[in-house]
Amino acid sequence: MVKIGVLALQGAVSEHLNHIEKSGAEAINVKNPEQLDDLDGLILPGGESTTMRKLMLKYGFLEPIRTFAKKGKALFGTCAGMIILAKDIEGDLEEEESLGLMDVKVRRNSFGRQVDSFEADLDITGLDAPFPAIFIRAPHILSVSDHVDIVSTWEDRIVAVRQGNILATSFHPELTDDYRMIGLFIDMARKAHVPADS
Ligand code: GLN
């Protein structure tokens, strides 16, 4: 069975675990880097990206996740997770390094304060009907390099991207009852999966 981990340092972890299980994959709560060895895919959840970066550094996750990506395993960053995946974070003043795996520039909190959270129906490449996307103090992508595919936009802003084995969304697919986004990601991870008996 395809195994998908959720980085469980901070943020919306249980909702992702639930989505993975409901979609027929095995869900793993990831608290230490050694657990990555067993996984086909890893989700970096939404939450607070500055805090998450500090915790990733403290618990030694940055290099192991970069190696995980280099091996061709699948990664999915939602909201704060998208920020952490970006190579360029606009106006970034943090001293801690970030993951920097996607060739994109991101702007944090670009849709307003917590109270301005909203839902929008998005057209998404690979899905045949609009997806009900929930945005919470969400980032958006300002620019992408040539090898990044734009998967969705909302009001002319880029809100979902894919670069090879890495997917990122500004919104929180795990907060809906719609399992199509996690389904897309499980398909990406399945391609990275090596059956135990091979
Ligand atoms: N605004 C948060 C940040 O910059 C992200 C919000 C979210 O993940 N829902 O880290």
Side-chain angles (χ1 to χ4, degrees):
M1 192 193 276
V2 176
K3 280 191 193 172
I4 309 286
V6 183
L7 186 67
L9 298 175
Q10 194 262 338
V13 175
S14 58
E15 295 86 348
H16 273 299
L17 292 169
N18 178 41
H19 253 222
I20 296 163
E21 273 166 12
K22 289 240 170 70
S23 305
E26 191 174 339
I28 314 280
N29 204 33
V30 176
K31 295 222 176 246
N32 70 68
E34 291 76 50
Q35 289 173 279
L36 296 176
D37 294 343
D38 272 354
L39 303 177
D40 304 301
L42 177 70
I43 294 179
L44 308 173
E48 211 290 312
S49 58
T50 304
T51 308
M52 221 180 285
R53 273 164 72 173
K54 291 197 168 99
L55 293 172
M56 287 171 84
L57 197 68
K58 181 170 176 195
Y59 293 101
F61 268 103
L62 291 178
E63 249 345 278
I65 293 177
R66 289 187 189 121
T67 306
F68 185 84
K70 261 189 219 132
K71 285 184 189 162
K73 308 264 185 126
L75 276 173
F76 183 12
T78 57
C79 204
M82 172 195 252
I83 296 166
I84 292 168
L85 282 169
K87 279 207 176 129
D88 191 355
I89 303 169
E90 186 187 50
D92 189 32
L93 299 174
E94 300 305 323
E95 284 170 14
E96 284 83 12
E97 60 177 318
S98 194
L99 266 181
L101 286 169
M102 294 190 104
D103 296 312
V104 301
K105 179 169 184 175
V106 70
R107 173 178 293 169
R108 295 177 65 192
N109 302 328
S110 59
F111 295 98
R113 310 283 309 167
Q114 194 85 31
V115 285
D116 297 326
S117 300
F118 63 97
E119 190 170 329
D121 286 333
L122 301 181
D123 287 327
I124 292 182
T125 307
L127 300 184
D128 50 11
F131 187 89
I134 296 174
F135 292 81
I136 305 171
R137 296 202 71 194
H140 86 277
I141 303 278
L142 295 169
S143 57
V144 302
S145 79
D146 287 350
H147 31 277
V148 176
D149 295 321
I150 295 170
V151 173
S152 187
T153 59
W154 187 75
E155 294 192 338
D156 295 329
R157 295 182 188 197
I158 302 169
V159 293
V161 284
R162 179 171 174 179
Q163 183 172 358
N165 52 330
I166 309 178
L167 180 68
T169 59
S170 298
F171 53 91
H172 286 263
E174 78 287 2
L175 299 183
T176 66
D177 291 331
D178 190 317
Y179 298 96
R180 290 176 297 156
M181 268 326 282
I182 185 70
L184 284 181
F185 181 62
I186 291 171
D187 282 346
M188 285 168 61
R190 191 172 285 119
K191 295 196 175 112
H193 179 74
V194 180
D197 55 358
S198 72

